[in-house]
């Protein structure tokens, strides 16, 4: 008996080898020499040992066979091409799995024979009773075997019948997995803009995951995945004996197919019935799906903690990366989670997680795979993750670049599906007209711009009305109460709690492609949350101020009531209506310039000139054109249209979407295409539920297409509005390109507008407070607040070359004439002249007969002095 020592002397090579620690107290153990690889049997008694048997050397060919034995696993890429042509171990060279998924053949245990007790044999030999006949033993054995065989056949038949029945239900089970899959909202180029979900489930294909990710997962969860039929019997026996030895649950034996069955059944009870059903479903899955389909479905639905279902969502939540960007260390950390995602969460339980990871690394080292994994990187992972809240979930971490679009899509989906729960149904694909690159710019630009203007004092919050509430106030309060009630009905827990103060400065932005009506981007206001879901682009209607003058002038020119070269008197006006009501429209700033050109009146936004234009157009003309521009629906016109002269100053309430749509007529030859955002909606099966066409998506009650002015009128308006746009203040936002546009400011500076366009985009910007009792102070002008924001947005889009920029084309329908700048008639050779565009059937008056050489400018100066 050897003394207690950590080493022993090999009888084969006479070299010392170190014993494994801790040294066992008693029992027989086989030991392999670290130098010559020869084997002996040691017997331990009270931590002391002696060599009881020297094992003979194995044959060289057997040794070589044992050392090189591996389980070949077919390549996923080959299997996807043809899952029915998998190669056997004796076939062609195996792909990457053969090098990755390995297992060690356990040494054969020595058979120990026990000596019989001689005394017991003596007693048996001295027994005088007659031994039972061999026939009786055989009969008992036959009976027991028959009963067991009968029970086995009955159980097996019942099990097989259950598998066959379950096999028919597999499509239904797989359909249930598609529930709660996020609905993806795509932009015009197929990029994901946002998602609608209550449960985050991955939707990646197997090819989207790196091969190492799959290899690491299989090595951890199911080494023999590609070779079993749904259940790994050897793993079950191994786990059974290990749990018996430890008298507790130490090891499981569920294959990936069984785990997928458990996910589908959604039953976590520890019962034989659940295991029975799970096994039946596992066999059914194996008979219906390919191995690749099973693995893909499992990887997309296994729970990885914190609300992330599937590796695609887990990768985004834990590392904010795409799958192909992962390091091998990150793959190991993710693959450690499926067995117990809460226990091994690196956010909740970093110590347990690291213990699990170290066990995996030791297992890899023993198998000789992934030897270069860096332990220091794991320490860095845990350090970075320690800054995050352990209670964080995928709901809190999601970032939506178009929340108002998402809410609009949700409402459309709900209206299409009726009683169906769109979150539970899930898996919709919504193709939109948005440009994601443009959309993601708007929110940050607006937030920074408004914050900067508030700090500088350009935007202030000033109460402007102390008198009783007007009809506008009441309408606003009623609308906000409706929105508040709606929020309570559809409140989603993943929305962040927001500021409930309704006096936060807001901005509404919408860009439309003129020749199609497609919405390119949309910003409905400040941060979208449970108390702020009011989409100011589509749901808000506000007075437009002078921005409506573009529509008014276009209507009057189209009707022949005015022309581009005419002169108009900018002087005080006074109106007395019925019932003693009086009205005197005033210009902003209170100044008057006397006789001026129509172009100047539009550029300087003269209110007196606009009222005179409205008078020339007449009430019937106003109704005719505003009906075409905004109210083709008779009911809508009855509810919203007022035909008085104050309409010329922008007293009608119009939404930003309607204003942007109206301006498309100027760059689209007088025709307006109904705006739309959703091109197509498909359900999870690929069936089209909605397609653009006859549907009035924004409930504007407008036809799909309508001509509102003549093409030559549109060309005249482009000429006039170019000067107006250049003088608006967009240059202060950094924009230097060509445009048409018009500013707008309402009383008490409650609303600041700029609506502008060019051939590739029509863009409306509104800035103000939701509550009309508050204004922005004397600097809250359309040209000072809204126009620079318009310019900054378009300048950024152009700088990044997001939209294909197009230039204004030369006039085709309108005719150019030289006009006398003093009389507004067709210029004679002696007249100071400028060129203006006219409609083909409305030429200028003329020619001018005045002798301007002898005419003094005293009269003009006198007129300016009077006003």
């Amino acid at each position: 008996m050897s003394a207690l020592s950590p080493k022993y002397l090999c009888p084969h090579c006479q070299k010392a080898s170190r014993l494994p620690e801790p040294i066992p107290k008693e029992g027989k153990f086989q030991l392999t020499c670290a130098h010559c690889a020869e084997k002996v049997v040691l017997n331990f008694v009270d931590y002391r040992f002696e060599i009881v048997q020297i094992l003979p050397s194995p044959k060289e060919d057997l040794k070589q066979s044992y050392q090189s034995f591996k389980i070949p696993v077919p390549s996923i890429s080959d299997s996807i091409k043809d899952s029915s042509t998998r190669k056997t171990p004796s076939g062609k060279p195996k792909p990457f799995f053969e090098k990755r998924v390995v297992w060690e053949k356990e040494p054969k245990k020595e058979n120990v024979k026990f000596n019989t007790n001689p005394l017991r044999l003596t007693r048996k030999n001295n027994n005088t009773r007659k031994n039972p006949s061999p026939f009786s033993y055989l009969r008992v054995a036959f009976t027991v075997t028959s009963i067991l065989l009968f029970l086995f056949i009955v159980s097996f038949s019942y099990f097989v019948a259950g598998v066959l029945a379950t096999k028919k239900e597999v499509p239904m089970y797989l359909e249930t997995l598609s529930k709660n899959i996020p609905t993806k909202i795509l932009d015009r180029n197929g990029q994901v803009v946002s998602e609608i979900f209550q449960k985050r489930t991955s939707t990646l294909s197997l090819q989207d995951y790196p091969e190492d990710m799959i290899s690491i997962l299989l090595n951890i969860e199911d080494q023999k995945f590609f070779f079993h039929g749904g259940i790994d019997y050897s793993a079950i026996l191994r786990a059974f004996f290990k749990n018996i030895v430890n008298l507790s649950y130490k090891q499981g034996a569920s294959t990936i197919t069984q785990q997928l069955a458990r996910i589908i059944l959604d039953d976590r009870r520890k019962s034989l019935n659940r295991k029975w059903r799970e096994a039946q479903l596992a066999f059914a899955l194996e008979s219906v799906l390919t191995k690749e389909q099973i693995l893909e479905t499992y990887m997309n639905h296994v729970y990885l903690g914190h609300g992330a279902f599937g590796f695609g969502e887990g990768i985004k939540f834990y590392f904010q990366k795409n799958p192909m960007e992962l390091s091998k260390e990150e793959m190991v950390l993710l693959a450690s989670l499926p067995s117990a995602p809460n226990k091994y969460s690196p956010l909740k339980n970093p110590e347990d997680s690291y213990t699990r990871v170290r066990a995996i690394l030791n297992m890899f080292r023993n198998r000789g795979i992934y030897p270069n994994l860096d332990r220091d990187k794991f320490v860095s992972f845990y350090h970075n993750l320690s800054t995050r809240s352990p209670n964080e979930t995928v709901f809190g971490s999601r970032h939506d670049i178009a929340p108002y679009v998402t809410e609009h899509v949700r409402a459309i989906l709900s209206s299409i599906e009726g009683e169906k729960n769109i979150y539970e149904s899930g898996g919709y694909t919504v193709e939109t007209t948005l440009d994601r690159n443009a959309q993601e710019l708007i929110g940050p630009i607006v937030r920074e711009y408004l914050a900067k203007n508030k700090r500088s004092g350009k935007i202030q919050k000033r109460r402007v009305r102390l008198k009783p509430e007007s009809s506008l106030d009441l309408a606003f309060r009623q609308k906000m109460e409706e929105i508040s009630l709606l929020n309570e009905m559809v409140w989603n827990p993943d929305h962040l709690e927001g500021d409930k103060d309704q006096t936060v400065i807001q901005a509404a932005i919408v860009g439309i492609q003129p020749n199609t009506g497609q919405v390119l981007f949309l910003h409905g206001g400040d941060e979208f949350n449970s108390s702020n879901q009011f989409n100011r682009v589509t749901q808000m209607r506000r007075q437009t101020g002078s921005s409506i003058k573009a529509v008014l002038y276009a209507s009057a020119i189209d009707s022949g009531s005015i022309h581009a070269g005419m002169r108009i008197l900018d002087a005080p006006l006074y109106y007395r209506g019925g019932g003693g009501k009086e009205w005197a429209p005033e210009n902003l700033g209170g100044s008057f310039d006397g006789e001026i050109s129509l172009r100047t009146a539009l550029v300087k936004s003269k209110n007196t000139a606009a009222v005179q234009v409205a008078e020339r157009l007449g009430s019937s003309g106003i109704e005719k054109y505003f009906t075409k521009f905004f109210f083709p629906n008779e009911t809508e016109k009855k509810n919203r249209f007022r035909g008085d002269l104050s309409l010329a100053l922008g007293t009608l309430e119009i939404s930003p979407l309607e204003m942007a749509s109206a301006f498309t007529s100027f760059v689209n030859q007088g025709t307006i295409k109904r705006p739309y955002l959703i091109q197509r909606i498909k359900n999870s099966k690929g069936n089209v539920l909605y397609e653009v066409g006859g549907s009035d998506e924004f409930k504007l009650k407008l036809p799909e297409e309508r001509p509102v002015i003549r093409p030559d009128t549109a060309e005249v308006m482009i000429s006039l509005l170019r000067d107006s746009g250049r003088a608006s203040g967009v240059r202060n936002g950094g924009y230097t390109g060509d445009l048409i546009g018009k500013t707008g400011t309402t009383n008490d500076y409650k609303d600041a507008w700029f609506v502008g366009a060019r051939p590739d985009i029509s863009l409306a910007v509104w800035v103000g407070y939701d509550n009309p009792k508050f204004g922005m102070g004397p600097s809250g002008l359309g040209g000072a607040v809204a126009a620079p924001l318009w310019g900054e947005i378009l300048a950024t889009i152009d700088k990044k070359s997001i939209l294909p920029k197009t230039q204004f084309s030369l006039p085709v329908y309108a005719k150019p004439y030289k006009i006398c700048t003093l009389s507004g008639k067709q210029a004679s050779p002696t007249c100071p002249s400028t060129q203006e565009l006219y409609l083909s059937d409305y030429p200028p008056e003329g020619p001018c007969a005045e002798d301007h050489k002898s005419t003094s400018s005293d009269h003009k100066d006198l007129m300016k002095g009077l006003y």
Side-chain angles (χ1 to χ4, degrees), residues 28 502 776:
K28 289 184 179 182
Q502 296 174 353
M776 292 173 283

Side-chain angles (χ1 to χ4, degrees), residues 557-708:
I557 289 173
D558 194 76
S559 68
S561 304
I562 62 173
H563 52 79
M566 71 176 291
R567 309 282 294 176
I568 197 164
L569 183 62
D570 175 29
L573 299 175
Y574 177 76
Y575 295 90
R576 174 174 290 176
K581 293 182 179 180
E582 298 177 351
W583 180 52
E586 296 181 356
N587 293 327
L588 186 65
S591 63
F592 301 94
D593 292 344
E595 190 177 67
I596 56 177
S597 68
L598 191 73
R599 181 180 294 272
T600 300
L602 186 60
V603 169
K604 291 189 174 183
S605 197
K606 293 293 187 177
N607 288 340
T608 55
V611 172
Q612 293 177 66
V613 170
E615 282 186 299
R616 285 173 174 260
L617 181 59
S619 59
S620 61
I622 291 174
E623 182 177 357
K624 172 186 174 182
Y625 281 96
F626 274 73
T627 295
K628 291 198 291 184
F629 268 98
F630 299 110
F631 313 118
N633 179 269
E634 191 64 31
T635 302
E636 195 74 2
K637 182 173 75 172
K638 184 178 180 181
N639 292 336
R640 297 175 57 190
F641 178 71
R642 299 189 308 274
D644 56 72
L645 290 179
S646 68
L647 170 149
L649 308 185
T651 57
L652 288 183
E653 291 85 24
I654 309 290
S655 73
L657 180 64
E658 290 172 320
M659 287 300 293
S661 182
F663 267 64
T664 64
S665 64
F666 305 137
V667 291
N668 195 39
Q669 298 184 359
T671 298
I672 298 178
K673 299 290 185 69
R674 183 175 60 208
Y676 68 95
L677 187 146
I678 300 174
Q679 299 199 82
R680 189 177 297 105
I681 298 177
K682 298 178 182 177
N683 63 13
S684 59
K685 296 180 180 179
N687 298 326
V688 176
L689 304 180
Y690 173 96
E691 197 155 15
V692 65
S695 175
D696 185 6
E697 180 182 335
F698 292 105
K699 309 302 180 192
L700 297 176
K701 300 178 182 178
L702 302 173
E704 190 173 353
E705 179 180 316
R706 65 192 189 280
V708 293

Side-chain angles (χ1 to χ4, degrees), residues 353-368:
S353 174
Y354 188 51
T355 300
R356 167 72 170 158
V357 166
R358 283 188 299 176
I360 292 172
L361 296 181
N362 290 335
M363 177 182 66
F364 284 179
R365 186 177 64 251
N366 293 336
R367 295 179 186 166

Side-chain angles (χ1 to χ4, degrees), residues 527-566:
E527 182 182 6
F528 186 91
N529 52 56
S530 59
S531 61
N532 181 34
Q533 298 185 14
F534 182 49
N535 190 337
R536 293 154 189 84
V537 168
T538 60
Q539 295 175 291
M540 176 191 74
R541 294 172 185 149
R542 297 290 287 248
Q543 292 186 355
T544 61
S546 294
S547 61
I548 201 67
K549 291 174 183 175
V551 174
L552 175 68
Y553 278 53
S555 303
I557 289 173
D558 194 76
S559 68
S561 304
I562 62 173
H563 52 79
M566 71 176 291

Side-chain angles (χ1 to χ4, degrees), residues 737-772:
D738 205 358
L739 80 155
I740 64 171
K742 187 69 189 76
T743 59
T745 308
T746 61
N747 290 342
D748 301 318
Y749 310 100
K750 295 189 295 291
D751 306 273
W753 288 83
F754 184 75
V755 189
R758 61 189 195 191
D760 55 299
I761 187 172
S762 176
L763 173 59
V765 172
W766 170 88
V767 180
Y769 292 98
D770 283 338
N771 194 329

